[in-house]
Amino acid sequence: MRYSNDAPAVITLTSGPVNAYPEVLLGLARPVLYDYDPAFQSFYERVVDKAQTAMRLTNKPVIQQGEPVLGLEAAAASLITPADTVLNLASGVYGKGFGYWALRYTSNVLEIEVPYNEAITPEAVAEMLKAHPEISVVCACHHDTPSGTINPIAEIGALVAAHGAYLIVDAVSSFGGMDVHPEACHADIFVTGPNKCLGGAPGLTLLGVSERAWEKMKANQAAPRASMLSIVDWENAWSRDKPFPFTPSVAEINGLDAALDLYLSEGPEAVWARHDLTARAARAGLKAMGLSLWAASEEIASPTTTAVRTPEGIDEGALRQAARERYGVVFSAGRGETAGKLTRIGHMGPTAQPIYAIAALTAYAGAVNALGGAVKTGEGIDAAMAVIDAAA
Amino acid sequence: MRYSNDAPAVITLTSGPVNAYPEVLLGLARPVLYDYDPAFQSFYERVVDKAQTAMRLTNKPVIQQGEPVLGLEAAAASLITPADTVLNLASGVYGKGFGYWALRYTSNVLEIEVPYNEAITPEAVAEMLKAHPEISVVCACHHDTPSGTINPIAEIGALVAAHGAYLIVDAVSSFGGMDVHPEACHADIFVTGPNKCLGGAPGLTLLGVSERAWEKMKANQAAPRASMLSIVDWENAWSRDKPFPFTPSVAEINGLDAALDLYLSEGPEAVWARHDLTARAARAGLKAMGLSLWAASEEIASPTTTAVRTPEGIDEGALRQAARERYGVVFSAGRGETAGKLTRIGHMGPTAQPIYAIAALTAYAGAVNALGGAVKTGEGIDAAMAVIDAAA
Amino acid sequence: MRYSNDAPAVITLTSGPVNAYPEVLLGLARPVLYDYDPAFQSFYERVVDKAQTAMRLTNKPVIQQGEPVLGLEAAAASLITPADTVLNLASGVYGKGFGYWALRYTSNVLEIEVPYNEAITPEAVAEMLKAHPEISVVCACHHDTPSGTINPIAEIGALVAAHGAYLIVDAVSSFGGMDVHPEACHADIFVTGPNKCLGGAPGLTLLGVSERAWEKMKANQAAPRASMLSIVDWENAWSRDKPFPFTPSVAEINGLDAALDLYLSEGPEAVWARHDLTARAARAGLKAMGLSLWAASEEIASPTTTAVRTPEGIDEGALRQAARERYGVVFSAGRGETAGKLTRIGHMGPTAQPIYAIAALTAYAGAVNALGGAVKTGEGIDAAMAVIDAAA
Amino acid sequence: MRYSNDAPAVITLTSGPVNAYPEVLLGLARPVLYDYDPAFQSFYERVVDKAQTAMRLTNKPVIQQGEPVLGLEAAAASLITPADTVLNLASGVYGKGFGYWALRYTSNVLEIEVPYNEAITPEAVAEMLKAHPEISVVCACHHDTPSGTINPIAEIGALVAAHGAYLIVDAVSSFGGMDVHPEACHADIFVTGPNKCLGGAPGLTLLGVSERAWEKMKANQAAPRASMLSIVDWENAWSRDKPFPFTPSVAEINGLDAALDLYLSEGPEAVWARHDLTARAARAGLKAMGLSLWAASEEIASPTTTAVRTPEGIDEGALRQAARERYGVVFSAGRGETAGKLTRIGHMGPTAQPIYAIAALTAYAGAVNALGGAVKTGEGIDAAMAVIDAAA
């Protein structure tokens, strides 16, 4: 049998959007309240409070009404001014891309770029900061999803803080799946969203904003206002007593509420542990099958996405298509420079469960073999199971 | 008994967000597919096709991933250039507001403004166009929701088309509740969304874009690109074979699909008829109770929102609070200049049903009386029922 | 406009099934767990605990896997033996009907029957018990729904308890809408369900069973066992450690859980108060319009259903059809002997809100008038509002 | 990591209840309509029509308002009279159990019993029918779920038809997952339900009833009437113009509607094919791992449930517990005589997908190994993949 492309897949193991938890799907279906109904306004405040708890913030986070690309663009537009010198850290397609946004707002953009299967080292950052005392804003992508690699954001953040610069962190696809939080990494603007490791729906951004970032943005006359891109307009929108700048996406807020409840009730540490274990099982299995991880070293491989280097002679698109049509399993492709070179297996939210690593390994190996490869599937499963069982 | 502000209201009769149809709520809860899964890409194309049918367009509409304020801002940012002379039509708070967006992109902004309980006349537009042949873009709000008034957009559109200018129409709160469509009113950009008369959730914009507007926007180097505000990036996103500029709000698309199915299967004319009848019943009831419509004449009163002038000596906020806490019925306030002067009863999507006009009239009258008024509720109900029964 | 019979109604104001609360509908959509999964077994126990709290029981209630007609039949089959003498109390169609079930299990059935718009008096019961010391089981319908009348079950229960007989109480359509509980009325088997005043879905029975009723049933060799009709098989099924006799209706249990949460969190007294107020408003309105209640006196009129005597010369079926097609409002008909003579307006769960009394009165009056009546709708609304406002 | 018994499992691979398809879960959440609303009555008729199509019947099936144990008991109670001689076919716990129901209604019960890992042969039935021309009713369980074995019902049915006896078929856990239909196997009463291979919720029975069975039941004065157990009361309940004997389980009907839509739109043959392939992959994997199928031969192994004989020295309950706590995978135990001797892996509805055979094999093998076994997991996966790939 073959699965039609028009039929739903059986298991979606992408690096986002991932399917939402059942509780979140039902959260999305709650009645749509009028945004100025006091019952909605107090509900919204409670959701912000839960996000604050999840993000381990000492002040209120901002919920922006669009997927995290909005938060990233808005952060650049709001925080960066022509007077700033920006250091952009590029270890992948997303980190690289942020530099272009930075360039819209200042012409002074420095960059550290490493091959897209490596991570930025704290040493390189320290050196650059020393060489360029004028750096006032640093931009870092914590998990560069198209590469499945993690940058050492805590160390980088400490250096940036010591330097006195502002730090913008893209943690869209890592927050909720591992131990990364705005204040712990000294982020001034920390961008994430509900649709990756929180197992929510795409359509919202969660922003952690430091007090000094609020001051800088509010002082920036060019920061977007009366605009979809505005952050500053939303400073007090969390309060049940304050108006919304425009209508929030009520259904998405309902869904976010459910996602945060799940995250907090399962316990963040437990959630991270199953992301980590699933990824470790996947990596062990791939290696045992003779396949290569994209990441230059396992230390920088993400616990929320495993990027596999496409074997020689195999077409990556054909590989994903084979996995879908033979086994009903959907993976993510690379993006930009990594497109065609790797396949991404997501471990996010509801799919961060070791048994899904088994399904992923089997479908991936089966697809390779269907295209003429000679991967030993069973050996991979045995290796993955050894990892899973070791944790039991 | 009194309803707590923290408890959900019994009936929400606002001018948006309104509660969604049950089918839409369940649509929102469908599985979240990966945006690059071919099953999602073909689904997205089918949703765009349904939107095209509903909007009676000869080309594909654009779905933008944010509530219609995004579409309005994006339209100004994409279509208007410093070389343009804009005529802004302001018969209310929303129409007035659009002028400020226009001013961001050109310094040449003319305006026709009328009192916010009146409508723009075609004569005034014709005169202005004659006096200013340089006008190249006209901006009109079809239904200025904070006033509950309708501008004669078909007539205005014909004049603008004859003049050769581009026309931007805000039909956010009228489309789906009455006979207004992009091409019929010669709109070059027609902005609406699922959350008003379609009975969907807030979080998306529907844009009808004429071919010449596409040309003008694509030629405009300053039009947003690689941005949440971009329209041009989404030109081909409807196609199952083209990538999305960024992740669409999958759950909202699921909900929109359900909303469009309902609208098309009930039949647009039938949907409009119940909006119209509900509004007429509401107006008849209000007048019979000795209350005043906000609209200067009933001809310009919206079929999707009935704005009632707040009686002398009554606090409008207290009035809505009384309706909520005594009867569990929520209305909308005015906005900006109309705030405190009127209350708005929405007739949109699932609430565009005559029996809800009865509930609205009773709760409104009861609230007035609770605050010391002496409105004859029963006489209002009898008058409203006469309208409803005449249509049976 | 006219509503098609194939289209959903706008507002369903029946005496059950009523639409469920939104939270219950979403509860029904939770994942279906395997009944022997320990997660389901412990969940089931928690649901039983909530039902115990709601029913104010000192022991565990039984959830039976079918709508309450199952519980009523099963109670007769399990408790009544040929050695019993049953006193059946018939003040309506449902009470009368129970006598036929009793007759299947014993030939000794006595009955007190009153006209179906009256209630059984404690005096009549006392007299019968005195005259027939052999009476061992008494069967009473608390709220005879087809009549919308309430029997004084607390007083009757006290008499039966003093006599030493067992008492079976049908509280299907009253429990959850007023102050009636198994132990307070000395019921040995108390039958209710989630689909009336709890605002749940039809498909389950809730049974309160006294310890002595358990003993009697277990001693009854003819009591159903290994049968859908069995009660005794389910004695310990509440326990997470005990098997289910057969597969429970998992989705219904999920929905019941949500319904009980709502009931307990709103507070039973608050729930009863809005049932009572809605019914009082409805009755005041009907009387002011010159219409007649079916109940012989207002004291025995149910707070969960208002039965209106059909005006002379009006066809009751045509009346309900007119209410549905003109206003989208659905009422219940009578049943059996009361069919054609009365219409029932339900006030149950989500519809036990005073504003729905307004909608009901308007639609009912409009339907009467559409068929040639001359009811003064507005006067009814004013009278109903006076009741509602007096409670504010 | 270990999954708590109180937390939901990751994947439920039982032989029912299985989780429902997402569309069915949302179907369950549709508004609860009043059962006498004409919109519900016509909807109910359409659902019966869909069931008729799915069951390939020439007359209307009956929907009973309880899980299939109701239909089985009701079939015995309605069809079998003291004048009947029943031949009960027992190849497992469920088939054996039916004989006890038969004995309630006639003392003339013959039985063919085979070991519970074998199937009834047509030869044995032919011989018995020849020896006992008085046999008037034959009872057969098509798929004896606690054994995971299939009886040759088409052949048996042809013999019974030639003999002239009535045939009651329990196809609860096979219908919808393989090619079995009432008329094709000459069943007079064919009992199934939505919760197994249709991927629906437990709580309803679907009955196919032949015209001559209707006649026999209606002529049987002892057949249940005015009872939850009645079949005859429901003869005409499918019609939009006929009343329901009691309130149907509206939410379950809503869910059934969605389940039938899925089944018919995917195409029965395609649905059966994925059940078959999933089971074949599971069996191949188990054998390659050195484990034993419960079924005496693969020819009689069910395509909807794979029963694995518990390895020597392993505690079956501990095995399932290990699979759940280590991998989050839930299997079914045996029942009655098969309890403790086998574990059942379900392939039903949404889990009848080959990739779930992989998950099942891995979790099963891992659990065995956790308890001291030495199963070669990887070899099992390779064998299962060979089956899956051969079908691609």
Side-chain angles (χ1 to χ4, degrees), chain A residues 297-352:
Chain A
S297 78
E298 211 165 333
E299 287 66 39
I300 65 170
S302 168
T304 76
T305 292
T306 296
V308 198
R309 188 179 293 271
T310 308
E312 281 295 313
I314 301 281
D315 178 78
E316 199 274 331
L319 190 161
R320 282 182 295 103
Q321 175 64 15
R324 192 191 197 289
E325 78 183 19
R326 286 183 165 236
Y327 316 112
V329 174
V330 176
F331 299 123
S332 286
R335 285 284 173 93
E337 201 176 295
T338 68
K341 299 178 185 164
L342 58 78
T343 299
R344 290 181 291 157
I345 302 167
H347 325 293
M348 290 179 171
T351 61

Side-chain angles (χ1 to χ4, degrees), chain A residues 25-285:
Chain A
L25 295 177
L26 296 182
L28 289 160
R30 294 180 199 161
V32 172
L33 299 189
Y34 175 51
D35 56 343
Y36 282 101
D37 189 321
F40 182 77
Q41 290 189 294
S42 59
F43 167 70
Y44 192 91
E45 184 174 323
R46 289 194 302 276
V47 176
V48 172
D49 286 349
K50 291 176 189 177
Q52 180 180 1
T53 301
M55 297 172 80
R56 303 188 175 179
L57 282 166
T58 51
N59 64 357
K60 300 289 177 192
V62 171
I63 304 173
Q64 280 192 301
Q65 312 300 317
E67 76 111 342
V69 78
L70 168 61
L72 293 165
E73 182 184 3
S78 300
L79 196 75
I80 302 174
T81 72
D84 283 310
T85 295
V86 168
L87 169 60
N88 189 57
L89 305 181
S91 63
V93 174
Y94 286 178
K96 182 71 178 177
F98 195 87
Y100 300 114
W101 275 326
L103 267 171
R104 286 186 190 166
Y105 305 102
T106 179
S107 53
N108 313 308
V109 177
L110 302 165
E111 193 164 75
I112 301 176
E113 186 168 5
V114 296
Y116 287 4
N117 62 338
E118 296 185 7
I120 306 288
T121 62
E123 294 70 28
V125 174
E127 196 172 318
M128 188 68 113
L129 289 172
K130 191 168 174 194
H132 293 277
E134 74 276 19
I135 289 171
S136 56
V137 177
V138 177
C139 309
C141 187
H142 178 225
H143 174 208
D144 212 302
T145 334
S147 295
T149 50
I150 297 287
N151 285 307
I153 197 65
E155 293 80 352
I156 292 171
L159 293 168
V160 173
H163 182 83
Y166 293 83
L167 177 64
I168 298 175
V169 174
D170 170 351
V172 174
S173 57
S174 54
F175 173 78
M178 60 187 296
D179 184 5
V180 61
H181 299 90
E183 295 176 3
C185 70
H186 303 278
D188 290 288
I189 301 188
F190 180 97
V191 183
T192 191
N195 176 242
K196 305 282 187 177
C197 304
L198 291 179
L204 294 176
T205 296
L206 293 173
L207 283 188
V209 181
S210 72
E211 290 306 324
R212 63 178 200 147
W214 278 119
E215 294 315 311
K216 187 176 194 314
M217 292 191 292
K218 288 191 286 185
N220 176 12
Q221 292 309 311
R225 287 178 176 81
S227 169
M228 188 77 188
L229 285 181
S230 184
I231 297 174
V232 296
D233 288 356
W234 287 81
E235 184 181 9
N236 298 310
W238 59 268
S239 168
R240 67 181 68 196
D241 300 320
K242 293 289 163 47
F244 299 107
F246 54 83
T247 306
S249 297
V250 177
E252 304 288 346
I253 302 297
N254 290 341
L256 173 60
D257 180 60
L260 291 167
D261 278 347
L262 285 174
Y263 181 69
L264 295 173
S265 72
E266 182 174 351
E269 286 75 8
V271 176
W272 309 335
R274 59 179 169 81
H275 281 78
D276 175 66
L277 180 58
T278 306
R280 285 193 291 118
R283 294 197 301 265

Side-chain angles (χ1 to χ4, degrees), chain A residues 1-3 10-11 274 277 326-327 329 353-356 358-359 362-363 366 377-378 381-382 385 388-389 391-392, chain D residues 1-3 10-11 274 277 326-327 329 353-356 358-359 362-363 366 377-378 381-382 385 388-389 391-392:
Chain A
M1 60 178 285
R2 298 205 165 231
Y3 294 95
V10 178
I11 308 181
R274 59 179 169 81
L277 180 58
R326 286 183 165 236
Y327 316 112
V329 174
Q353 300 284 7
I355 194 70
Y356 287 124
I358 301 299
T362 308
T377 309
I381 299 306
D382 287 335
M385 283 294 276
I388 298 169
D389 285 330
Chain D
M1 60 177 286
R2 298 208 165 228
Y3 294 94
V10 179
I11 307 181
R274 59 180 171 79
L277 180 58
R326 286 182 165 238
Y327 316 112
V329 175
Q353 302 284 5
I355 194 70
Y356 287 124
I358 301 299
T362 310
T377 310
I381 299 305
D382 287 335
M385 284 294 275
I388 298 169
D389 284 331

Side-chain angles (χ1 to χ4, degrees), chain B residues 349-370:
Chain B
T351 61
Q353 300 284 9
I355 194 71
Y356 287 125
I358 301 300
L361 289 167
T362 308
Y364 185 89
V368 170
N369 290 344

